[in-house]
Every structure is written in C-alpha cells, then in structure tokens.
Amino acid sequence: MTRTILITGAGAGIGRATARTFLAAGWEVALLGRRRETLEETAEGRPARILVCDVGDPDQVQAAFADLPRLDVLFNNAGIAAKAAPIDEIPVQDWLDLSHTNITGMFLCARAAFGLMRRQSPQGGRIINNGSISAHVPRPGSTPYTMSKHAVTGLTRTLALDGRAFNIACAQIDIGNALTEMAQGFTKGVLQANGDTKVEPVMDVAHVAQMVLHMANLPLSVNTPFVTIMARDMPYIGRG
C-alpha cells in the first residue's frame, strides 16, 4: 500500500524540497499551504493533493485533514521568522503573527493528525515537527522565534509520550542553516553573540529532505525523538 504524507508549508523552502523528495520516492503527498499557485509549483505537474489552508485557522485545518482518507506521516513544517530586535522593540503584532503560525499552527496540525492516526485502521502514524537550532540556543534579538521553537520541543516531547498508546511516533528535526529563501541572509552576514556580523556556512536543503524521508521510513516501533542536521561549521555548539 502506498504511504501518505502531509507536508505543511509546502509552497517554499524546506517544505517544497521535502515534498519533491517524497513525490520522487513514490509516496502519496498532500501539499498544504496558503497559496494554491505555490503548491502547484511544488508539485511540478506530478499527482499531489493540494490543500489551501492557513495552519493557524482551526476551521481550515479541520477541513483540510477531513479530506484525507488516511495519513501515515505529518511533516509539521510551516513556520515564519521575525525581524531581529530587542524584545521591547518588537511590535506586538509581529509576535501575534508569528505565534499564529509557529505555535497555534503547529498545535492545530498535530492535533488533527493525531486524531486521524488514532482513529484510522490500521491505527498509528508518525508526526515529524520542524524545530530548529533555536529550539536549543537563541540568536541575538530572536525572542519570538526562539520562544516558538522551544514550544515545538514541548509539543514533540508530549506527543512522543501520549502517542505510545495509539502506535503514534513523534519526532523533531532541528535544522541549522539550510539554504532556503529564509536563510539567504546567512550568506551575507548574521549578527553574532559577541556583536560581530559574520557570514555563516550553509548546506543544501536537499540534505534536510533526505533526512525527513529517512525518519518517515522507519518502522513505528522505532523513533528518533530529536535529530539535528546542520551545516557542519555553523556556530551552534559555540553559539553565545
């Protein structure tokens, strides 16, 4: 039986690269995002289920997941960033917009996937949350994003525990400096903890997609609760 994955934030970046990798591997892929045209660009003419949805809207998420006959894997990937600044200079609306996607959206999609996996036959599935190096250590001026990624870690830990009773595995992939549109700034210079601005190493986003595919192909009796994949020489262990 062909396995099915739903990928949120599938219209660009990590989501797009991962979707194309799963399509090439013969999976049934559901592409979820806010804009139909970008999702269709991701599919490149290959058969894929297009789900236009704002992940932070409960009604839209419920309707999107209700359209699925079965779900083996959710790649809970959608996320946005905010402009770096000290917390008192960050507009409250920027925080609300980011948490709408990065926290509420993650919760709603995980909730919908968990419910579907719990009730389908055969029971079970895998949820892979997109965390970040920022789930472990912050960049300067990154309060909203760092808070949101620490929240993702809490989601992962809880679902990894609660999912055991329903044959649901939950894992997190923490990604560092994959070269996407969002990460272009790394190649031009990024503020460091000591106040310097430095160009940082990056890696091809295809490596992330292949890692997600590897995690998805594991039997449900096996879990990788936290996987870190990063450009080798990026400042992580020494950050701060």
Side-chain angles (χ1 to χ4, degrees), residues 19 39 48 53-54 61 64 71 109 115 139 146 152 183 206 213-214 218 224:
L39 298 175
C53 174
D54 176 354
V61 170
L71 183 62
C109 291
R139 290 185 178 277
T146 298
V152 172
L213 180 62
H214 170 71
L218 292 170
T224 52

Side-chain angles (χ1 to χ4, degrees), residues 130-201:
N130 187 345
S132 172
I133 298 298
S134 293
H136 303 274
V137 290
R139 290 185 178 277
S142 67
T143 300
Y145 188 77
T146 298
M147 283 182 65
S148 75
K149 292 305 182 179
H150 277 67
V152 172
T153 298
L155 175 67
T156 300
R157 291 185 184 277
T158 308
L159 295 187
L161 177 61
D162 292 350
R164 293 174 182 175
F166 309 108
N167 202 30
I168 298 171
C170 185
Q172 181 167 315
I173 182 166
D174 294 319
I175 302 161
N177 289 21
L179 187 55
T180 64
E181 290 181 10
M182 187 183 294
Q184 285 292 335
F186 298 142
T187 64
K188 300 174 183 177
V190 184
L191 181 65
Q192 306 295 308
N194 65 359
D196 292 344
T197 298
K198 293 183 178 179
V199 171
E200 292 189 8

Side-chain angles (χ1 to χ4, degrees), residues 53-72:
C53 174
D54 176 354
V55 295
D57 185 303
D59 292 336
Q60 291 185 32
V61 170
Q62 182 177 353
F65 279 78
D67 196 41
L68 299 174
R70 178 172 180 85
L71 183 62
D72 295 296

Side-chain angles (χ1 to χ4, degrees), residues 66-89:
D67 196 41
L68 299 174
R70 178 172 180 85
L71 183 62
D72 295 296
V73 178
L74 166 68
F75 183 33
N76 209 5
N77 165 72
I80 62 173
K83 185 178 179 180
I87 189 170
D88 58 318
E89 296 178 15

